[in-house]
């Protein structure tokens, strides 16, 4: 009788286990002068994506304005030095995107032509185009993040299409979005239906029906399943605050995230990782260090 190799039962067992998927950590940077530089942020080797926030004013005839809190003053061209940090991050393999919108600002798109004009501005001033007044200097960002939380719900899909059209062979314009967890998102639902977004970091906080509540992970996981089975996106990240003070509600203790939530959501083929708000609070809580081995 032929002997059965001892490793075969182990192989059979492994074949029955549904594989989980390793992910990255995306972090929002730019809203505190006390959070460290962009270069220092990427030198930690903890983050796969850094989202510079925010271009808070644009569209409908507004003069575009960026706010990087205490980091620099764009009005005096003081933010061009950020190019050094962008290049340093990219050299480490970190994707760097500019977030447009935010919870405080003045922005909207009046028409599909206005969307094209905003796309042209973003391309020429932050991406691969040229402009004499690039706010962050001559470094070329990897893409644009849509954090649309106020104003009009119209023409964000047009903006996504216009930006993606600037992609070139070997250089795709990456698009990401940060919708609220109630599905579909009021502002970005139509844009996400285009299927053009590489990353979607859903904000599972400040929304009680679809976030973690003490002792209850079911609402969050149910919402996660709906998002990952309903949208056509490259990957989906679970978006979280890194400290109780970083958001109004929805904070998840690291031990709960790593033991009760990540093992479940990582089964999804669309799992991309964890998005954290924000670098300033992460410095103080150390949240990313607690979870990175499990992401």
């Amino acid at each position: 009788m032929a002997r059965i190799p001892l490793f075969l039962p182990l192989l059979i067992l492994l074949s029955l286990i549904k594989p989980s998927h390793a992910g990255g950590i995306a972090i929002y940077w730019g809203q505190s002068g006390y959070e460290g530089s962009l270069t220092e942020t990427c030198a930690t080797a903890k983050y796969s994506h850094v989202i510079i926030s925010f271009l808070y004013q644009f569209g409908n005839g507004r003069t575009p304005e960026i706010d990087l809190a205490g980091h620099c003053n764009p009005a005096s061209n003081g933010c061009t030095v950020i190019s050094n940090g962008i290049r340093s991050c990219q050299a480490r393999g970190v994707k760097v995107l500019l977030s447009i919108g935010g919870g405080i600002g003045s922005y909207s798109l009046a028409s599909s032509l206005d969307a094209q004009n905003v796309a042209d501005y973003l391309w020429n001033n932050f991406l691969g185009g040229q402009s004499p007044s690039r706010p962050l200097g001559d470094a070329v960002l990897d893409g644009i993040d849509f954090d649309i939380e106020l104003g009009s719900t119209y023409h964000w899909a047009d903006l996504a299409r216009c930006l993606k059209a600037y992609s070139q062979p070997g250089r795709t314009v990456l698009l990401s979005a940060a919708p609220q967890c109630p599905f579909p998102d009021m502002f970005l639902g139509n844009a996400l239906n285009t299927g053009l977004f590489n990353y979607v970091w859903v904000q599972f906080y400040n929304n009680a029906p679809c976030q973690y509540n003490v002792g209850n992970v079911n609402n969050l996981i149910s919402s996660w399943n709906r998002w990952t089975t309903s949208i056509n996106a490259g990957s989906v990240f679970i978006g979280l605050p890194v400290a109780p003070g970083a958001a109004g509600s929805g904070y998840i203790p690291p031990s709960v995230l790593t033991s009760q939530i990540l093992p479940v959501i990582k089964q999804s083929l669309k799992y991309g990782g964890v998005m954290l708000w924000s670098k300033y609070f992460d410095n103080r809580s150390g949240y990313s260090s607690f979870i990175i081995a499990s992401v």
Side-chain angles (χ1 to χ4, degrees):
M1 176 183 289
R3 296 179 62 190
I4 299 176
L6 292 177
F7 61 82
L8 276 182
L10 176 60
L11 290 178
I12 294 172
L13 176 62
L14 290 175
S15 70
L16 296 176
I17 299 175
K18 191 174 182 180
S20 63
H21 307 277
I25 297 177
I27 193 88
Y28 276 83
W29 175 93
Q31 287 302 290
S32 172
Y34 301 100
E35 64 192 341
S37 70
L38 203 53
T39 297
E40 291 167 338
T41 296
C42 292
T44 65
K46 293 192 292 187
Y47 311 114
S48 57
H49 303 74
V50 174
I51 308 113
I52 299 175
S53 53
F54 291 102
L55 185 78
Y56 71 97
Q57 179 172 292
F58 61 89
N60 200 14
R62 303 176 183 90
T63 300
E65 291 190 18
I66 191 170
D67 172 30
L68 296 183
H71 287 285
C72 55
N73 181 8
S76 60
N77 292 322
C79 294
T80 56
V81 67
I82 300 296
S83 270
N84 296 329
I86 295 170
R87 282 189 285 263
S88 176
C89 289
Q90 292 171 332
R92 295 175 180 273
V94 178
K95 300 299 184 185
V96 186
L97 300 94
L98 171 69
S99 187
I100 62 172
I104 301 174
S106 177
Y107 53 85
S108 63
L109 299 173
S111 64
S112 48
L113 177 59
D114 192 27
Q116 181 66 65
N117 290 337
V118 171
D120 293 344
Y121 170 81
L122 292 171
W123 170 257
N124 288 321
N125 286 274
F126 299 100
L127 300 171
Q130 294 183 343
S131 168
S133 59
R134 290 175 67 94
L136 303 182
D138 58 1
V140 177
L141 291 170
D142 294 294
I144 301 296
D145 173 61
F146 288 48
D147 183 16
I148 309 304
E149 301 185 33
L150 53 85
S152 170
T153 61
Y154 297 107
H155 303 296
W156 300 112
D158 293 328
L159 180 59
R161 282 188 283 264
C162 292
L163 285 168
K164 206 66 169 183
Y166 272 118
S167 295
Q168 300 168 349
R171 184 104 194 182
T172 297
V173 174
L174 298 177
L175 297 181
S176 64
Q180 307 288 314
C181 58
F183 186 90
D185 184 81
M186 178 173 67
F187 294 99
L188 292 171
N190 288 336
L192 291 173
N193 286 337
T194 65
L196 296 175
F197 285 80
N198 304 88
Y199 318 111
V200 177
W201 13 79
V202 183
Q203 298 184 50
F204 288 97
Y205 51 95
N206 295 334
N207 287 284
C210 49
Q211 69 184 29
Y212 169 77
N213 294 289
V214 178
N216 179 9
V217 301
N218 295 332
N219 290 349
L220 187 154
I221 290 175
S222 176
S223 179
W224 167 270
N225 289 336
R226 185 167 189 190
W227 275 98
T228 53
T229 58
S230 300
I231 63 168
N232 178 14
S235 57
V236 181
F237 288 57
I238 177 174
L240 302 172
V242 297
S249 61
Y251 172 73
I252 304 176
S255 60
V256 174
L257 179 68
T258 57
S259 66
Q260 299 181 45
I261 297 174
L262 287 179
V264 177
I265 69 174
K266 286 175 70 174
Q267 305 302 321
S268 169
L269 292 174
K270 288 184 180 177
Y271 172 80
V274 180
M275 176 274 278
L276 300 177
W277 176 269
S278 62
K279 178 57 166 52
Y280 170 79
F281 289 101
D282 195 33
N283 283 358
R284 280 143 186 80
S285 68
Y287 197 91
S288 60
S289 295
F290 289 118
I291 69 168
I292 190 169
S294 302
V295 171

Coordinates of all heavy atoms in Angstrom, one line a residue, residues 122-187:
L122 N -7.0 70.8 -11.4 CA -6.3 69.8 -10.6 C -5.2 69.2 -11.4 O -4.1 68.9 -10.8 CB -7.3 68.7 -10.2 CG -8.4 69.2 -9.2 CD1 -9.5 68.2 -9.0 CD2 -7.8 69.6 -7.8
W123 N -5.4 68.9 -12.7 CA -4.4 68.3 -13.5 C -3.2 69.2 -13.6 O -2.0 68.8 -13.4 CB -4.9 67.9 -14.9 CG -3.8 67.5 -15.8 CD1 -3.3 68.2 -16.9 CD2 -3.2 66.2 -15.9 NE1 -2.4 67.5 -17.5 CE2 -2.2 66.3 -16.9 CE3 -3.2 65.1 -15.1 CZ2 -1.4 65.2 -17.3 CZ3 -2.4 64.0 -15.4 CH2 -1.5 64.1 -16.5
N124 N -3.4 70.4 -13.9 CA -2.3 71.4 -14.1 C -1.6 71.8 -12.9 O -0.4 72.2 -12.9 CB -2.8 72.6 -14.9 CG -3.2 72.3 -16.3 OD1 -2.5 71.5 -17.0 ND2 -4.3 72.9 -16.8
N125 N -2.3 71.8 -11.7 CA -1.7 72.4 -10.5 C -1.2 71.3 -9.5 O -0.4 71.7 -8.6 CB -2.7 73.3 -9.8 CG -2.9 74.6 -10.6 OD1 -2.1 75.5 -10.3 ND2 -3.8 74.7 -11.5
F126 N -1.7 70.1 -9.7 CA -1.3 69.0 -8.7 C -0.9 67.7 -9.3 O -0.2 66.9 -8.7 CB -2.4 68.8 -7.7 CG -2.9 70.0 -6.9 CD1 -4.0 70.7 -7.3 CD2 -2.1 70.4 -5.8 CE1 -4.4 71.8 -6.5 CE2 -2.5 71.5 -5.1 CZ -3.6 72.2 -5.4
L127 N -1.3 67.5 -10.6 CA -1.0 66.2 -11.2 C 0.1 66.4 -12.3 O 1.1 67.1 -12.1 CB -2.3 65.6 -11.7 CG -3.3 65.3 -10.6 CD1 -4.7 64.9 -11.2 CD2 -2.9 64.3 -9.7
G128 N -0.2 65.8 -13.5 CA 0.9 65.8 -14.5 C 1.0 67.0 -15.4 O 1.8 67.0 -16.3
G129 N 0.1 68.0 -15.2 CA 0.1 69.1 -16.1 C 1.1 70.2 -15.6 O 2.0 70.0 -14.8
Q130 N 1.0 71.4 -16.2 CA 1.9 72.5 -15.9 C 1.1 73.7 -15.6 O 0.1 74.0 -16.2 CB 2.9 72.7 -17.1 CG 3.8 71.6 -17.3 CD 4.8 71.9 -18.4 OE1 4.6 72.8 -19.2 NE2 5.9 71.1 -18.5
S131 N 1.6 74.5 -14.6 CA 1.0 75.8 -14.2 C 2.1 76.6 -13.5 O 3.0 76.0 -12.8 CB -0.1 75.5 -13.3 OG -0.5 76.8 -12.7
P132 N 2.1 77.9 -13.7 CA 3.1 78.7 -13.0 C 2.8 78.9 -11.5 O 3.6 79.4 -10.8 CB 3.0 80.1 -13.7 CG 1.5 80.1 -14.2 CD 1.2 78.7 -14.6
S133 N 1.7 78.4 -11.1 CA 1.3 78.6 -9.7 C 0.9 77.3 -9.0 O -0.2 77.2 -8.4 CB 0.2 79.6 -9.6 OG -1.0 79.1 -10.3
R134 N 1.7 76.3 -9.1 CA 1.4 75.0 -8.4 C 1.6 75.1 -6.9 O 2.7 75.3 -6.4 CB 2.3 73.9 -9.0 CG 2.0 73.5 -10.4 CD 3.0 72.5 -11.0 NE 2.9 71.2 -10.3 CZ 2.2 70.2 -10.8 NH1 1.5 70.3 -11.9 NH2 2.2 69.0 -10.2
P135 N 0.5 75.0 -6.2 CA 0.5 75.3 -4.7 C 1.5 74.4 -3.9 O 2.0 74.9 -2.9 CB -0.9 75.1 -4.3 CG -1.8 75.3 -5.5 CD -0.9 74.8 -6.6
L136 N 1.6 73.2 -4.3 CA 2.5 72.2 -3.6 C 3.8 72.0 -4.3 O 4.5 71.1 -4.0 CB 1.8 70.9 -3.4 CG 0.4 70.9 -2.7 CD1 -0.1 69.5 -2.5 CD2 0.6 71.6 -1.3
G137 N 4.1 72.9 -5.3 CA 5.4 72.7 -6.0 C 5.3 71.8 -7.2 O 4.2 71.5 -7.6
D138 N 6.4 71.3 -7.7 CA 6.4 70.6 -8.9 C 6.3 69.1 -8.8 O 6.3 68.4 -9.8 CB 7.7 71.0 -9.7 CG 9.0 70.6 -9.0 OD1 8.9 70.1 -7.8 OD2 10.1 70.9 -9.5
A139 N 6.2 68.6 -7.6 CA 6.0 67.2 -7.5 C 4.6 66.8 -8.1 O 3.6 67.5 -8.0 CB 6.0 66.7 -6.0
V140 N 4.5 65.6 -8.6 CA 3.3 65.1 -9.3 C 2.6 64.1 -8.3 O 3.1 63.1 -8.0 CB 3.6 64.4 -10.6 CG1 2.3 63.9 -11.2 CG2 4.3 65.4 -11.6
L141 N 1.4 64.5 -7.9 CA 0.7 63.6 -7.0 C 0.1 62.4 -7.7 O 0.0 62.4 -9.0 CB -0.5 64.4 -6.4 CG -0.1 65.5 -5.3 CD1 -1.4 66.3 -5.0 CD2 0.5 64.8 -4.1
D142 N -0.2 61.4 -7.0 CA -0.7 60.1 -7.6 C -2.2 60.2 -8.0 O -2.6 59.4 -8.8 CB -0.4 59.0 -6.7 CG 1.0 58.7 -6.5 OD1 1.7 58.3 -7.5 OD2 1.5 58.9 -5.4
G143 N -2.9 61.1 -7.3 CA -4.3 61.1 -7.7 C -5.1 62.1 -6.8 O -4.5 62.9 -6.0
I144 N -6.4 62.0 -6.9 CA -7.3 62.9 -6.2 C -8.3 62.1 -5.3 O -8.9 61.1 -5.8 CB -8.1 63.8 -7.2 CG1 -7.1 64.6 -8.1 CG2 -9.1 64.7 -6.5 CD1 -6.3 65.6 -7.3
D145 N -8.6 62.6 -4.1 CA -9.5 62.0 -3.2 C -10.7 62.8 -3.1 O -10.7 64.0 -2.9 CB -8.8 61.8 -1.8 CG -9.8 61.4 -0.8 OD1 -10.3 60.2 -0.9 OD2 -10.0 62.1 0.2
F146 N -11.9 62.2 -3.2 CA -13.2 62.9 -3.1 C -13.8 62.8 -1.7 O -14.3 61.7 -1.4 CB -14.2 62.3 -4.1 CG -14.0 62.6 -5.6 CD1 -12.7 62.5 -6.2 CD2 -15.0 63.0 -6.4 CE1 -12.5 62.7 -7.5 CE2 -14.8 63.3 -7.7 CZ -13.6 63.1 -8.3
D147 N -13.7 63.8 -0.9 CA -14.3 63.8 0.4 C -15.4 64.9 0.4 O -15.3 65.9 1.0 CB -13.3 64.1 1.5 CG -13.9 64.0 2.9 OD1 -15.0 63.4 3.0 OD2 -13.3 64.6 3.9
I148 N -16.5 64.5 -0.3 CA -17.6 65.5 -0.5 C -18.6 65.3 0.5 O -19.3 64.3 0.6 CB -18.1 65.3 -1.9 CG1 -17.0 65.3 -3.0 CG2 -19.2 66.4 -2.2 CD1 -16.1 66.5 -2.9
E149 N -18.8 66.3 1.4 CA -19.7 66.2 2.5 C -20.7 67.3 2.6 O -21.5 67.3 3.6 CB -18.9 66.1 3.8 CG -17.9 65.0 3.9 CD -17.1 64.9 5.2 OE1 -17.8 65.2 6.2 OE2 -16.0 64.4 5.2
L150 N -20.7 68.2 1.7 CA -21.7 69.3 1.8 C -21.9 69.9 0.4 O -21.2 69.5 -0.6 CB -21.2 70.4 2.7 CG -19.8 71.0 2.5 CD1 -19.7 72.1 1.5 CD2 -19.2 71.5 3.9
G151 N -22.8 70.8 0.3 CA -23.1 71.5 -1.0 C -23.9 70.7 -1.9 O -24.8 69.9 -1.5
S152 N -23.7 70.8 -3.2 CA -24.5 70.1 -4.2 C -24.1 68.7 -4.4 O -23.0 68.3 -4.2 CB -24.4 70.9 -5.6 OG -25.0 70.1 -6.6
T153 N -25.1 67.9 -4.8 CA -24.8 66.4 -5.1 C -24.5 66.2 -6.5 O -24.3 65.0 -6.9 CB -26.0 65.6 -4.7 OG1 -27.2 66.0 -5.4 CG2 -26.4 65.8 -3.2
Y154 N -24.5 67.2 -7.4 CA -24.4 67.0 -8.8 C -23.0 67.1 -9.4 O -22.2 67.8 -8.8 CB -25.3 68.1 -9.5 CG -26.8 68.0 -9.2 CD1 -27.4 68.9 -8.4 CD2 -27.5 66.9 -9.8 CE1 -28.8 68.8 -8.1 CE2 -28.9 66.8 -9.5 CZ -29.5 67.7 -8.7 OH -30.8 67.6 -8.4
H155 N -22.8 66.3 -10.4 CA -21.6 66.4 -11.3 C -20.3 65.9 -10.7 O -19.2 66.0 -11.4 CB -21.4 67.9 -11.8 CG -22.6 68.5 -12.5 ND1 -23.0 68.0 -13.7 CD2 -23.4 69.5 -12.1 CE1 -24.1 68.7 -14.0 NE2 -24.3 69.6 -13.1
W156 N -20.4 65.2 -9.6 CA -19.2 64.5 -9.1 C -18.7 63.4 -10.0 O -17.5 63.1 -10.2 CB -19.3 64.1 -7.7 CG -19.7 65.3 -6.8 CD1 -20.8 65.5 -6.1 CD2 -18.8 66.4 -6.5 NE1 -20.8 66.7 -5.4 CE2 -19.5 67.3 -5.7 CE3 -17.5 66.7 -6.8 CZ2 -19.0 68.5 -5.2 CZ3 -17.0 67.9 -6.4 CH2 -17.7 68.8 -5.6
A157 N -19.7 62.7 -10.6 CA -19.4 61.6 -11.6 C -18.7 62.2 -12.8 O -17.7 61.7 -13.3 CB -20.6 60.9 -12.0
D158 N -19.1 63.4 -13.2 CA -18.5 64.1 -14.4 C -17.0 64.4 -14.0 O -16.1 64.2 -14.8 CB -19.2 65.4 -14.7 CG -20.6 65.2 -15.2 OD1 -20.8 64.2 -15.9 OD2 -21.5 66.0 -15.0
L159 N -16.8 64.9 -12.8 CA -15.4 65.2 -12.4 C -14.6 63.9 -12.4 O -13.4 64.0 -12.8 CB -15.4 65.8 -11.0 CG -14.0 66.2 -10.5 CD1 -13.4 67.2 -11.4 CD2 -14.2 66.8 -9.0
A160 N -15.1 62.9 -11.9 CA -14.3 61.6 -11.9 C -14.0 61.2 -13.3 O -12.8 60.8 -13.6 CB -15.2 60.5 -11.2
R161 N -14.9 61.3 -14.2 CA -14.6 60.9 -15.6 C -13.6 61.8 -16.2 O -12.7 61.4 -17.0 CB -15.9 60.9 -16.4 CG -16.8 59.7 -16.2 CD -18.0 59.7 -17.2 NE -19.0 60.6 -16.8 CZ -20.1 60.3 -16.1 NH1 -20.3 59.0 -15.7 NH2 -21.0 61.2 -15.8
C162 N -13.7 63.1 -16.0 CA -12.7 64.1 -16.5 C -11.3 63.8 -16.0 O -10.3 63.9 -16.8 CB -13.2 65.5 -16.2 SG -14.7 66.0 -17.1
L163 N -11.2 63.6 -14.7 CA -9.9 63.3 -14.1 C -9.3 62.0 -14.7 O -8.1 61.9 -15.0 CB -10.0 63.3 -12.6 CG -10.1 64.6 -11.9 CD1 -10.5 64.4 -10.4 CD2 -8.9 65.4 -12.0
K164 N -10.1 61.0 -14.7 CA -9.6 59.7 -15.2 C -9.1 59.8 -16.6 O -8.2 59.0 -17.0 CB -10.7 58.6 -15.0 CG -10.2 57.2 -14.8 CD -9.4 57.1 -13.5 CE -9.1 55.7 -13.2 NZ -8.4 55.5 -11.9
A165 N -9.8 60.6 -17.4 CA -9.4 60.8 -18.8 C -8.0 61.3 -19.0 O -7.4 61.2 -20.1 CB -10.4 61.7 -19.5
Y166 N -7.4 61.9 -18.0 CA -6.0 62.4 -18.0 C -5.0 61.3 -17.8 O -3.8 61.5 -17.9 CB -5.8 63.4 -16.9 CG -6.1 64.8 -17.4 CD1 -7.1 65.6 -16.8 CD2 -5.4 65.5 -18.4 CE1 -7.4 66.9 -17.2 CE2 -5.7 66.7 -18.8 CZ -6.7 67.5 -18.2 OH -7.0 68.7 -18.6
S167 N -5.5 60.1 -17.5 CA -4.5 58.9 -17.4 C -3.8 58.7 -18.6 O -4.3 58.9 -19.7 CB -5.3 57.7 -17.0 OG -5.9 57.8 -15.7
Q168 N -2.5 58.3 -18.5 CA -1.6 58.1 -19.6 C -1.0 56.7 -19.4 O -1.0 56.1 -18.3 CB -0.5 59.1 -19.7 CG -1.1 60.5 -19.8 CD 0.0 61.6 -19.6 OE1 1.1 61.3 -19.1 NE2 -0.3 62.8 -19.9
P169 N -0.5 56.1 -20.5 CA 0.1 54.8 -20.4 C 1.2 54.8 -19.3 O 2.1 55.6 -19.4 CB 0.7 54.5 -21.8 CG -0.2 55.4 -22.7 CD -0.6 56.6 -21.9
G170 N 1.1 53.9 -18.4 CA 2.1 53.9 -17.3 C 1.9 54.9 -16.2 O 2.6 54.8 -15.2
R171 N 0.9 55.7 -16.3 CA 0.6 56.7 -15.3 C -0.9 56.9 -15.2 O -1.5 57.8 -15.8 CB 1.3 58.0 -15.6 CG 1.1 59.0 -14.4 CD 2.4 59.2 -13.6 NE 2.2 59.9 -12.3 CZ 3.1 60.1 -11.5 NH1 4.3 59.7 -11.7 NH2 2.8 60.7 -10.3
T172 N -1.6 56.1 -14.4 CA -3.0 56.3 -14.1 C -3.2 57.3 -13.1 O -2.5 57.4 -12.1 CB -3.6 54.9 -13.6 OG1 -3.4 53.9 -14.6 CG2 -5.1 55.1 -13.3
V173 N -4.2 58.2 -13.3 CA -4.7 59.1 -12.3 C -5.5 58.3 -11.3 O -6.6 57.9 -11.6 CB -5.5 60.3 -12.9 CG1 -6.1 61.2 -11.8 CG2 -4.6 61.1 -13.8
L174 N -5.0 58.1 -10.1 CA -5.8 57.4 -9.1 C -6.9 58.2 -8.5 O -6.7 59.4 -8.3 CB -4.8 57.0 -8.0 CG -3.7 56.0 -8.4 CD1 -2.8 55.7 -7.1 CD2 -4.2 54.7 -8.9
L175 N -8.0 57.6 -8.3 CA -9.2 58.2 -7.7 C -9.6 57.5 -6.4 O -9.6 56.2 -6.4 CB -10.3 58.3 -8.7 CG -10.2 59.1 -10.0 CD1 -11.5 59.0 -10.8 CD2 -9.8 60.5 -9.7
S176 N -9.8 58.2 -5.4 CA -10.3 57.6 -4.1 C -11.5 58.4 -3.7 O -11.7 59.6 -4.1 CB -9.2 57.6 -3.1 OG -8.8 58.9 -2.7
A177 N -12.3 57.8 -2.8 CA -13.5 58.5 -2.3 C -13.7 58.1 -0.8 O -13.3 57.0 -0.4 CB -14.7 58.2 -3.1
A178 N -14.2 59.1 0.0 CA -14.5 58.8 1.4 C -16.0 59.0 1.7 O -16.3 60.0 2.4 CB -13.6 59.8 2.2
P179 N -16.8 58.1 1.2 CA -18.3 58.3 1.5 C -18.6 58.0 3.0 O -17.8 57.3 3.7 CB -18.9 57.2 0.6 CG -17.8 56.2 0.4 CD -16.5 56.9 0.4
Q180 N -19.7 58.5 3.4 CA -20.3 58.1 4.7 C -20.8 56.7 4.6 O -21.2 56.2 3.5 CB -21.4 59.1 5.1 CG -21.0 60.6 5.1 CD -20.1 61.0 6.2 OE1 -20.3 60.6 7.4 NE2 -19.0 61.7 5.9
C181 N -20.9 56.0 5.7 CA -21.3 54.6 5.6 C -22.8 54.3 5.3 O -23.1 53.3 4.8 CB -20.9 53.8 6.9 SG -21.6 54.4 8.5
P182 N -23.8 55.2 5.5 CA -25.1 55.0 5.0 C -25.1 54.8 3.5 O -24.5 55.6 2.8 CB -25.9 56.2 5.5 CG -25.2 56.7 6.7 CD -23.7 56.5 6.4
F183 N -25.7 53.7 3.0 CA -25.6 53.4 1.6 C -27.0 53.6 0.9 O -28.0 53.3 1.5 CB -25.2 51.9 1.4 CG -25.0 51.5 0.0 CD1 -23.7 51.6 -0.6 CD2 -26.0 51.1 -0.8 CE1 -23.5 51.3 -1.9 CE2 -25.8 50.7 -2.1 CZ -24.6 50.9 -2.7
P184 N -26.9 54.3 -0.3 CA -25.8 54.9 -1.0 C -25.4 56.2 -0.4 O -26.3 56.9 0.2 CB -26.3 55.0 -2.4 CG -27.7 55.2 -2.3 CD -28.1 54.4 -1.1
D185 N -24.2 56.7 -0.6 CA -23.8 58.0 -0.1 C -24.5 59.1 -0.9 O -24.6 59.0 -2.1 CB -22.3 58.2 -0.3 CG -21.8 59.5 0.3 OD1 -21.6 59.6 1.5 OD2 -21.6 60.4 -0.5
M186 N -25.0 60.0 -0.2 CA -25.9 61.1 -0.8 C -25.1 61.9 -1.8 O -25.6 62.2 -2.9 CB -26.4 62.0 0.3 CG -27.2 63.2 -0.2 SD -28.0 64.1 1.1 CE -26.6 64.9 1.9
F187 N -23.8 62.2 -1.6 CA -23.1 63.0 -2.5 C -22.3 62.2 -3.5 O -22.2 62.7 -4.7 CB -22.1 63.9 -1.7 CG -22.7 64.9 -0.8 CD1 -22.9 64.6 0.6 CD2 -23.2 66.1 -1.2 CE1 -23.5 65.5 1.4 CE2 -23.8 67.0 -0.4 CZ -24.0 66.7 0.9

